[in-house]
Amino acid sequence: MDRTKVLLQYALPKRLLTATAGRFARAHGGVMTTRMIRWFIGRYGVDMTEAQNPDIHSYASFNDFFTRPLKAGARPLAPSDFICPVDGAISQLGAIEDGHMVQAKGHRFTATDLIGGDPELAEHFRDGSFANIYLSPKDYHRIHMPCAGKLRQMTYVPGALLSVNPVTARGVPNLFARNERVVCIFESPEHGLFAMVLVGATIVGSMATVWHGVVNSSRSNQVSSWAYDDHDVVLNKGEEMGRFLLGSTVVMLFEQDTIAFNEGWAPERPVRLGERMGEPMGDQKGDGPV
């Protein structure tokens, strides 16, 4: 069954499907939009009690609903140096070994490929740490900062639009470094450089950041980069940095000897925004989400 699903990924007209879904999600469809939102909530078990606005009739478009903010206090931040930046489930995490990371059993990918082919930048993460978190359709889809940081650069890397669900991650080599993605590089005074990589997928209409807006609206075939050394884009721990329009994956990269992950974190474990992700290396605390 998994093989059939993976083969189907290659056969589907993914760009057409994604463009069609994007137009539908942006449309102000009145009653039809409300019906679609109601169906989606029932199909995926979305908890609207956590939403700042639980009234589904008030959302003008599906995108407005999908990127809805949470109500105040829904995701308290753990008193940790590093917090989980999203709601989702861990795909993989651990050490980057000579620039290589685990995608799934039997599949690895490189930091150089992931960030768009910049070996000098990738060298910062050669023996560091990584974490991949998958956001399913039911999850909250805004992305927040795992720690405070100043934005140094952003790169849009064109690519495929394969699904990033667990089945595809197990079956498609080099998936995260193959798909369309937005690579955001931050610098923390305490924790050095770290990367937040937003990975696109089938049906993901767009990826946006709080400082730029939608990054991939035109879906160019060219790599595009923006430097922010002369801009004062500084975000605090827990502050929103971006969002997905429909589900995808966030990959985080940290430099060597930077983070010791929460001992309770493991592949397939569900996680929530704000829970303890880790502590500085050598300063580990006990197991648990806070």
Side-chain angles (χ1 to χ4, degrees), residues 11-251:
L12 287 171
K14 293 173 287 296
R15 288 191 175 274
L16 176 61
L17 286 172
T18 301
T20 301
R23 287 194 294 272
F24 174 81
R26 292 189 299 269
H28 290 201
V31 173
M32 291 302 297
T33 294
T34 301
R35 287 177 178 171
M36 181 59 188
I37 292 171
R38 182 180 291 111
W39 172 87
F40 189 91
I41 291 170
R43 171 67 177 81
Y44 293 105
V46 178
D47 184 1
M48 290 300 290
T49 65
E50 296 182 327
Q52 185 182 87
N53 176 15
D55 180 11
I56 66 172
H57 298 87
S58 65
Y59 292 102
S61 71
F62 187 83
N63 275 348
D64 291 345
F65 154 74
F66 197 79
T67 59
R68 63 197 176 279
L70 296 171
K71 66 183 179 183
R75 296 291 185 275
L77 304 185
S80 304
D81 274 53
F82 300 94
I83 62 160
C84 182
V86 293
D87 286 1
I90 300 166
S91 296
Q92 294 288 334
L93 81 164
I96 302 173
E97 299 177 347
D98 194 27
H100 290 73
M101 294 165 280
V102 176
Q103 174 182 299
K105 185 177 180 179
H107 295 305
R108 297 170 71 83
F109 63 106
T110 70
T112 303
D113 288 343
L114 178 71
I115 63 175
D118 184 339
E120 184 176 345
L121 178 58
E123 188 66 25
H124 286 275
F125 308 112
R126 170 176 290 277
D127 295 303
S129 303
F130 77 99
N132 309 334
I133 303 180
Y134 168 66
L135 287 71
S136 72
K138 70 178 178 60
D139 291 318
Y140 167 67
H141 274 76
R142 297 193 182 197
I143 307 152
H144 295 247
M145 294 290 287
C147 60
K150 177 179 174 62
L151 181 67
R152 290 303 184 190
Q153 69 180 70
M154 179 176 72
T155 303
Y156 167 72
V157 185
L161 290 171
L162 295 158
S163 170
V164 292
N165 63 37
V167 170
T168 312
R170 291 192 298 267
V172 177
N174 215 33
L175 175 63
F176 301 138
R178 190 175 193 167
N179 268 13
E180 176 184 60
R181 53 210 181 275
V182 175
V183 181
C184 304
I185 304 297
F186 293 92
E187 185 172 11
S188 161
E190 297 84 10
H191 308 304
L193 288 184
F194 63 97
M196 301 282 288
V197 183
L198 284 56
V199 182
T202 312
I203 309 299
V204 176
S206 59
M207 295 172 282
T209 63
V210 296
W211 59 86
H212 184 96
V214 175
V215 180
N216 61 332
S217 58
S218 63
R219 284 209 153 87
S220 167
N221 290 322
Q222 300 296 319
V223 174
S224 300
S225 293
W226 297 262
Y228 293 90
D229 287 338
D230 297 330
H231 297 71
D232 195 25
V233 181
V234 179
L235 300 174
N236 294 321
K237 180 175 67 177
E239 193 170 352
E240 182 185 347
M241 61 81 60
R243 63 187 66 174
F244 286 118
L245 302 182
L246 298 183
S248 198
T249 286
V250 174
V251 181

